[in-house]
Amino acid sequence: MSKTVIVVVDGFGVGAMPDAGALRPGDVAADTCGHVLDRCREAFGRPLRLPVLGALGLGMVHPHPDLARRTHLPVAVGRVALGYPGADTFAGHQTMMGADFSRVTVARLAEHLDEVTRALTDAGHEVEPLDGKPLLVVDGAVLVHDNLEADPGINWNASGRLDAIDFAGILAIARTVRSVAPVARVIAVGGHAEKSLDAFVRAGDGGTVGLDTPATGFYRNGGLQVQHLGADLDHARQLPELAARAGIPVTLVGKAADILACEAAVRRPAVDTAEVLAHTLDAVRADGDALVVANVQESDLAGHQQDTECYGRILEQVDAGLAALLSLLTEVGDRLIVTGDHGNDPTIGHAFHTREYVPVLIHRPEARGAELMPDATSLADVGATAAAALGLDPAGLANGTEIRAASTRAA
């Protein structure tokens, strides 16, 4: 019997990928981990207290003076490139679980207006552009537009006022858009606004045009309804389904419970970090084999809020939770894998995700010492590595290769 626990610290990057500046040149300086450590040392008058992350080898992949460069724990550590376009939580988790995102692209709605218009018209809808802008008004009630709250071109939205159309109608339009959209997500959004949605349309970054959803009042007026329609993926060839078919109990915690597919999984949605950690510990304490995938979302929220001190406090809270997990994962074959899904540098000067490498820190009770792994090319390799730890064939995933330790051993 063995347990594999994947803890995703949402938005925890360890330095910019080579293409990080393609959209925003300043992002070549992104370093979520390093900048949070620096700013928190200044703000708190002390280094962040991250003894467990240090012992798991974080300092081996991020040479920051506040992190130990060596560890005697039985770990394998490395960095992972994202392996999907942009920097997005949904795409990151789907890729990590073994999805093939090679057909998903970053695209503005303007580049596909004719195709989307044709699909909606064929479905019986009335479609027209809004005042010559590259977004569509459907049935006089729903705007189809670029999502302005994520990186440009990652997601499209279908947004409507619920006093003008019910959510089922918004969702039907979103599903039609999804059928031709090349992007990772099409998001159906319904809410209540004080005036017509066209009053809240604005230009975004990277040539996008869309609805300023926070300005509409959707988030503060109550009654918000949202459904995320992901790209067409073979969920049967992702890690949770692979484990479930092998009879391994699967628990999805935090945001992972909201965005990962597995009919047999136990779901424990939560945002509060303490609650996420408590659910994770409960799942590990259960008898028998287990796959647990947990997402710590509050780190990402702190990044969006550009609140470095809050981010640091969340990291310290996570570190304490990891100590408790390590005390439970002591058997041969057990694995604790700590990683991220993208970066979210709170010091970079904007509220978007940053395209960074993420750490992969793997605790292996039966191993001797610490080993350094080569940089992996995709988060899918994390899923493949977890599959192998569970005795599953990584070839059963749609994407990913097991990460193997390099010959170099760290003392």
Side-chain angles (χ1 to χ4, degrees):
M1 294 187 295
S2 65
K3 301 179 190 293
T4 291
V5 181
I6 302 175
V7 176
V8 183
V9 183
D10 205 312
F12 191 49
V14 290
M17 289 177 53
D19 60 354
L23 176 63
R24 289 179 292 269
D27 282 11
V28 297
D31 180 359
T32 302
C33 177
H35 291 156
V36 169
L37 289 170
D38 289 341
R39 294 289 182 87
C40 286
R41 175 186 270 274
E42 295 173 6
F44 301 158
R46 60 167 176 81
L48 283 180
R49 298 186 178 104
L50 305 176
V52 179
L53 284 167
L56 288 171
L58 180 59
M60 294 170 61
V61 295
H62 192 292
H64 191 279
D66 288 351
L67 297 171
R69 298 294 300 275
R70 296 177 181 273
T71 176
H72 294 284
L73 278 187
V75 296
V77 303
R79 297 189 311 174
V80 184
L82 300 185
Y84 64 87
D88 178 65
T89 296
F90 176 84
H93 282 71
Q94 301 300 335
T95 300
M96 191 184 301
M97 295 299 105
D100 180 1
F101 257 65
S102 62
R103 290 178 294 175
V104 176
T105 62
V106 174
R108 296 172 300 167
L109 179 62
E111 298 160 0
H112 296 270
L113 276 180
D114 291 344
E115 187 179 359
V116 174
T117 298
R118 185 163 51 251
L120 288 164
T121 302
D122 290 348
H125 298 287
E126 295 183 1
V127 185
E128 58 183 352
L130 177 65
D131 299 330
K133 298 183 179 72
L135 73 168
L136 302 173
V137 181
V138 184
D139 297 338
V142 174
L143 292 183
V144 176
H145 60 92
D146 293 312
N147 179 300
L148 302 185
E149 295 174 81
D151 267 338
I154 295 290
N155 306 319
W156 299 346
N157 283 21
S159 303
R161 296 173 65 193
L162 293 175
D163 55 352
I165 183 172
D166 62 19
F167 189 67
I170 299 170
L171 185 57
I173 291 167
R175 291 190 189 283
T176 299
V177 175
R178 171 74 276 173
S179 70
V180 295
V183 296
R185 274 184 290 177
V186 173
I187 307 173
V189 183
H192 298 286
E194 290 80 12
K195 51 187 175 181
S196 176
L197 295 185
D198 58 9
F200 304 103
V201 170
R202 65 170 176 84
D205 288 348
T208 56
V209 179
L211 188 68
D212 187 339
T213 305
T216 65
F218 277 9
Y219 296 155
R220 62 178 180 270
N221 290 339
L224 179 70
Q225 295 189 62
V226 179
Q227 186 161 334
H228 296 256
L229 306 177
D232 186 19
L233 303 172
D234 186 357
H235 296 296
R237 298 188 66 193
Q238 289 186 284
L239 180 62
E241 284 287 353
L242 198 66
R245 289 199 301 273
I248 298 171
V250 177
T251 303
L252 305 176
V253 182
K255 199 170 184 179
D258 298 327
I259 60 179
L260 293 179
C262 180
E263 189 171 334
V266 174
R267 297 180 183 275
R268 296 287 184 259
V271 175
D272 180 77
T273 300
E275 190 176 352
V276 169
L277 294 170
H279 285 317
T280 304
L281 286 165
D282 286 346
V284 174
R285 291 188 183 105
D287 293 335
D289 296 336
L291 169 64
V292 183
V293 183
N295 171 279
V296 176
Q297 185 180 0
E298 286 190 308
S299 48
D300 188 53
L301 297 178
H304 286 305
Q305 294 160 5
Q306 302 175 67
D307 189 336
T308 310
E309 295 173 34
C310 178
Y311 200 121
R313 287 191 290 268
I314 295 300
L315 285 181
E316 290 188 330
Q317 191 175 2
V318 169
D319 197 271
L322 294 176
L325 282 171
L326 283 179
S327 70
L328 297 176
L329 297 168
T330 59
E331 300 298 322
V332 172
D334 284 350
R335 294 290 183 271
L336 172 62
I337 302 175
V338 181
T339 188
D341 51 350
H342 50 71
N344 196 341
D345 188 334
T347 73
I348 204 68
H350 60 72
F352 295 115
H353 295 157
T354 42
R355 188 165 167 80
E356 298 179 51
Y357 291 101
V358 297
V360 56
L361 315 174
I362 306 174
H363 182 251
R364 310 165 300 166
E366 75 279 5
R368 295 178 57 192
E371 293 182 298
L372 185 65
M373 301 183 294
D375 285 352
T377 59
S378 172
L379 279 168
D381 297 346
V382 175
T385 304
L390 289 164
L392 306 172
D393 184 358
L397 304 175
N399 191 23
T401 303
E402 181 183 0
I403 310 170
R404 298 184 182 276
S407 58
T408 302
R409 181 183 294 272

